[in-house]
Amino acid sequence: MDPICCIIGAGPSSAYVTEGAFVIAADGGLDKLNALHITPDLILGDFDSLGDRPMGENVLTFPVEKDDTDTMLAIKEAVKRGYKTLYISGGVGGRLDHTIANIQSLWFADRLGVRAFLVGQGQTLTVLTDGEACFSADCRGKISLFSMGDRADGVTVKGLKYETEGITLSGSFPLGVSNEFTERAAQVKVEKGTLLLIWEGLPCDWMT
């Protein structure tokens, strides 16, 4: 199993940290970790949300005026350190533009061959390009699929309430919204294109 990095942002959702993970506090995410008495392995950001600049050898400070969001800085740092699985919390809810930026950051990670998940507000989000996602039979609730580009071709869904075989999802029509897990193992496959997957609950078993 690939080593895991957990990135904690300043957004309203709670911190999601798995045992043994490398933990990055992105700006105001440090307050959440302090409240949980969790010491991050790395602290980074411009610290406009935190309101104070922490000190220490594990602190990376960036200017406020920059191209990268604090979440993107954390993703790039995790990728540089070799992590292939990222759990990002504190990245959904609050300002809509920040949530959209974090969804785009999932796509950025995916293009680098890194599986990244946004966890928060009772949901998990990830993107899938030219591949297959397999979900455990333990998953419950709703799951939605959206094309991240103009179209996603060859979309096959098995084991969910609404199954498909090789259809095209358009970026201009939300056909894939509100499917459901059925207490069976489920698969989502896209032959060409990128899908945004959103499901209820914490990350489920996932294989590619």
Side-chain angles (χ1 to χ4, degrees):
M1 184 176 180
D2 289 329
I4 292 172
C5 176
C6 291
I7 297 169
I8 316 303
S13 54
S14 59
Y16 180 77
V17 179
T18 61
E19 185 176 357
F22 184 85
V23 179
I24 299 178
D27 204 318
L30 181 61
D31 282 337
K32 296 179 183 179
L33 292 173
N34 287 339
L36 296 172
H37 305 291
I38 296 174
T39 301
D41 298 288
L42 181 66
I43 304 166
L44 58 73
D46 55 29
F47 304 117
D48 60 343
S49 298
L50 190 62
D52 186 28
R53 181 170 297 181
M55 304 297 291
E57 294 182 356
N58 68 331
V59 178
L60 298 177
T61 303
F62 296 85
V64 174
E65 295 183 355
K66 59 188 186 307
D67 292 332
D68 292 329
T69 65
D70 290 328
T71 299
M72 181 62 83
L73 290 172
I75 290 172
K76 288 182 174 180
E77 187 64 30
V79 171
K80 185 169 72 173
R81 292 169 183 252
Y83 291 95
K84 296 293 186 180
T85 302
L86 313 179
Y87 292 127
I88 305 165
S89 53
V92 294
R95 283 178 52 178
L96 180 57
D97 56 344
H98 283 180
T99 298
I100 292 173
N102 289 328
I103 291 172
Q104 288 188 323
S105 298
L106 294 179
W107 201 356
F108 173 86
D110 178 72
R111 289 190 169 187
L112 296 178
V114 173
R115 178 64 59 218
F117 301 86
L118 272 175
V119 185
Q121 304 294 295
Q123 296 181 313
T124 298
L125 298 76
T126 194
V127 298
L128 176 69
T129 300
D130 301 349
E132 181 178 5
C134 299
F135 293 91
S136 164
D138 294 330
C139 294
R140 298 289 186 272
K142 297 186 182 299
I143 177 172
S144 296
L145 320 175
F146 301 97
S147 174
M148 287 288 283
D150 181 60
R151 55 190 288 160
D153 294 320
V155 177
T156 296
V157 176
K158 296 181 179 179
L160 298 178
K161 181 176 181 179
Y162 304 107
E163 297 187 314
T164 68
E165 185 70 40
I167 69 168
T168 294
L169 289 182
S170 167
S172 61
F173 190 81
L175 180 63
V177 72
S178 295
N179 211 328
E180 297 179 22
F181 292 108
T182 60
E183 301 185 15
R184 296 181 292 164
Q187 299 84 38
V188 175
K189 180 180 179 181
V190 55
E191 293 181 0
K192 184 178 181 180
T194 300
L195 294 176
L196 171 65
L197 278 59
I198 305 175
W199 64 92
E200 294 179 319
L202 297 176
C204 305
D205 290 348
W206 173 282
M207 298 177 293
T208 55

